[in-house]
Amino acid sequence: VQYHYPDTTYCILYQSVMSRSLSSRAAHNGKLHEAARRGELRVVEKLMIENSAVLDGRAYAIAVNAYADAGDLQNALRWLRAGAQRGGHYVPQVEACTAAVKAACVVGKCQLAKNLLETMANQKSFDDEIPAIVSEHAKPNARTIATFLRGCLQNGWFESISWILRRATSWQIALDIPVLSYAAITLAAALKPIQASALDCQSAQAYIAIAQAHAVLAQAELFQTARAKAFELLGQEEEQNEFISKPNNNIHQNRTASNVAFRKHRAKEIKALLQALKPVRSVEFTVNHLRRSFVIEENNILRPALRLGLAEAEFTWARESSVLNNASRTERKRISRAARTALELRESFFTASLSDLPRRYCFPHFVANKTSIMCELGAGDGEFATRRAQNNQNDCWLINELKFNRAAAIVARCVLTQLTNTATIAGRADAFLKALPDESLDGCFVNFPQPPTQVCITTEPQLYDGRHMLDLPLFSELARVLKPSAAITIATDNASYVDLLVAIAKLVNAKSSSISLLPSDNQSFVTVHMPQTTEENTYFDRLWQTGCSQHAQARRRFLIRLYKQQIEERKKKRRRIIVRKCDEENASQLITTTPTTHRLLSSPSPEESSSARSEPLSNKKEGKKKRKKKKKARDGRYTE
């Protein structure tokens, strides 16, 4: 081109070629982003493979982020390695690497997330699964630190807070108030309010968590200080929200109105929570609740509730008991040393042996005298389950929540109301259900679960497995752990999600040979409910009534109630129907002979069919001999 054309023509030709390639890449990235937003991973995979010539760093970032949102760490790292191996402008930049950090945090891989951060900062690999990313544009920024801190908040990695703060300082990354609030809330959820206050984070959410931790630890003076600070910061945030400018276009106007309604609802809920908070009289209530609770850590291993502050609560209780008993200074030191030693032994013992005994540990001694064992999955702050447990003390409630900051709110709610029939389980719901014995639950509730996408475009359950809580494997586990005639009750406001849940329940019935989930009395799977103000309204119920969600029904709510039924009982009913339809002769044979009953309901084996074909020939021969003998005997009698 340079030889045949002048310089001016070459520049024009080069610019036209580059503009075409850039426009094709932009169009491809737009399609890729739209498929990733809808959660269509098959479409994302197809676009990445078929259009490899127009890929860039942005395309790899979209693919990694799509698999990170779905909780698929292996495929997210696969596309990260693919971009790093191609080199050039395909090398993943900070956006793709941050998405990989999010994928590691979603599945609970703390060390892998740390190795990813070190790889981004030092441009060399610290793990066999992570490629060496040599690019100045891949170094971590404030958003990367916020992603890791959000993972610490959701998984309870309070021991990694000091590490990431030191790394951010060495990498010269300035952290703003929202990022620091993640660290403060994580420390407060682990009942370390003094360390959380030392961060000096000017956030109302952070000081609410700090006040809650002081209340659970029976520290009245520190609780009052943190509560007053939370009220002050909450008033400042409300003043700032009033000056939010409204956009001119109609597209973003609905979104802004929804955000404003959500902020008002959250401020109202926070004020009600702060006004109701009161410190507990003794840390003994906290210790007793945490001793019967547990957490689910990496590789779905059950652990004691050390990440929810069991060690801090027991140590505080030991010091509190020494003060109440008017012990001497020497005695107090001895009790403190004994408490620390006991906690270290307790932690090492459970870390080593609890993974081998999950089924025995999940039903503590407080279950023994209860009439029924109920469960709530994805409980949020536990308002629904704690109110049910408070109304009926004979029921035992196992309250499960994935995020550790919400699990800490459940602990605080149970402790402050002094409930003795509740236990908190922090971690994945499927791992929690796998630890339960068969036919152990009397009922399960799921209130406003998070759908895989805002609008479910298909009702194929396999496409969404692992991307939301109520997938096909979890439904199968629920069918296993529920007692016969026990019910699963699901409340949601997303109409497309209802169709997906019904399809999953029907698929469980089709795959299982012994268990089925059916509505009672042959009713429909879904009941449309239009509730008013009820006694058992929760945070999400009140949020739904505000109508601030763009993808939810503003006036209707859907209830799915499924009952467990054994297949053997259904077969018995079917046999009775068959008997009634038969005539009297066949019915008597059906009742008297059990082999024919089974043969009517199932196809005969090849051996049975061959024996059945050979029976008529032998019967004919034997019949002829008998008739001849009878004839001879009759003739002889007649002659005599």
Side-chain angles (χ1 to χ4, degrees), residues 448-470:
F448 295 95
Q450 181 71 27
T453 56
Q454 292 177 342
V455 179
C456 301
I457 59 175
T458 180
T459 57
E460 297 183 17
Q462 291 84 355
L463 296 179
Y464 297 110
D465 281 350
R467 296 170 54 194
H468 63 124
M469 182 178 65
L470 296 175

Side-chain angles (χ1 to χ4, degrees), residues 599-616:
R599 206 171 286 129
L600 287 173
L601 297 176
S602 59
S603 59
S605 60
E607 298 177 358
E608 292 177 351
S609 59
S610 62
S611 62
R613 286 193 298 268
S614 61
E615 281 178 1

Side-chain angles (χ1 to χ4, degrees), residues 133-151:
I133 302 172
V134 183
S135 176
E136 290 292 330
H137 300 286
K139 289 189 174 182
N141 54 15
R143 186 176 180 180
T144 311
I145 304 300
T147 301
F148 182 77
L149 283 174
R150 199 180 298 113

Side-chain angles (χ1 to χ4, degrees), residues 350-365:
F350 277 114
T351 305
S353 63
L354 187 59
S355 60
D356 300 329
L357 305 171
R359 292 182 182 272
R360 276 188 266 175
Y361 185 75
C362 63
F363 280 108
H365 61 278

Side-chain angles (χ1 to χ4, degrees), residues 204-468:
Q205 294 286 340
Y207 273 94
I208 290 167
I210 293 171
Q212 209 168 37
H214 284 307
V216 168
L217 293 175
Q219 299 170 350
E221 295 181 0
L222 297 174
F223 163 74
Q224 295 294 340
T225 304
R227 183 186 179 191
K229 186 68 174 178
F231 271 118
E232 179 184 351
L233 293 173
L234 186 61
Q236 294 178 4
E237 290 180 2
E238 287 182 347
E239 292 179 358
Q240 293 177 0
N241 292 334
E242 292 179 358
F243 293 99
I244 296 177
S245 59
K246 297 182 179 180
N248 296 326
N249 52 357
N250 295 327
I251 298 176
H252 298 285
Q253 190 170 2
N254 294 332
R255 183 179 299 175
T256 303
S258 176
N259 293 336
V260 170
F262 174 73
R263 291 191 188 99
K264 290 182 179 179
H265 172 73
R266 187 179 62 179
K268 182 179 178 181
E269 293 288 332
I270 289 174
K271 287 181 179 179
L273 176 64
L274 286 175
Q275 291 174 358
L277 270 181
K278 292 181 181 178
V280 70
R281 296 195 307 271
S282 175
V283 196
E284 182 180 2
F285 297 105
T286 307
V287 172
N288 290 334
H289 181 82
L290 290 176
R291 279 179 177 176
R292 59 177 179 259
S293 302
F294 60 92
V295 301
I296 302 169
E297 295 188 2
E298 189 175 345
N299 298 325
N300 296 333
I301 298 176
L302 300 181
R303 296 275 190 262
L306 294 167
R307 295 196 180 278
L308 294 176
L310 176 61
E312 285 71 18
E314 287 199 359
F315 180 70
T316 306
W317 186 34
R319 296 184 62 183
E320 180 185 278
S321 60
S322 65
V323 173
L324 293 176
N325 294 330
N326 296 323
S328 61
R329 186 174 180 180
T330 306
E331 186 68 18
R332 293 177 188 175
K333 289 183 178 180
R334 187 189 66 79
I335 292 175
S336 299
R337 286 196 299 269
R340 289 184 183 276
T341 305
L343 289 175
E344 292 175 0
L345 291 174
R346 183 184 178 89
E347 183 175 359
S348 62
F349 169 77
F350 277 114
T351 305
S353 63
L354 187 59
S355 60
D356 300 329
L357 305 171
R359 292 182 182 272
R360 276 188 266 175
Y361 185 75
C362 63
F363 280 108
H365 61 278
F366 80 103
V367 181
N369 298 324
K370 305 301 179 183
T371 57
S372 61
I373 303 172
M374 311 299 291
C375 171
E376 185 182 6
L377 303 178
D381 60 351
E383 187 176 359
F384 174 82
T386 52
R387 187 173 292 140
R388 284 290 187 95
Q390 197 170 8
N391 293 335
N392 192 352
Q393 295 289 335
N394 294 326
D395 292 345
C396 170
W397 278 85
L398 304 177
I399 311 173
N400 170 253
E401 173 55 41
L402 174 64
K403 298 182 179 180
F404 275 69
N405 58 328
R406 294 180 180 176
I410 296 173
V411 171
R413 188 178 291 274
C414 294
V415 169
L416 297 179
T417 52
Q418 299 182 10
L419 292 174
T420 59
N421 57 339
T422 58
T424 304
I425 300 95
R428 294 180 59 89
D430 53 353
F432 160 58
L433 293 178
K434 288 178 182 178
L436 297 180
D438 297 342
E439 298 183 357
S440 56
L441 293 180
D442 293 276
C444 179
F445 291 86
V446 186
N447 292 313
F448 295 95
Q450 181 71 27
T453 56
Q454 292 177 342
V455 179
C456 301
I457 59 175
T458 180
T459 57
E460 297 183 17
Q462 291 84 355
L463 296 179
Y464 297 110
D465 281 350
R467 296 170 54 194
H468 63 124

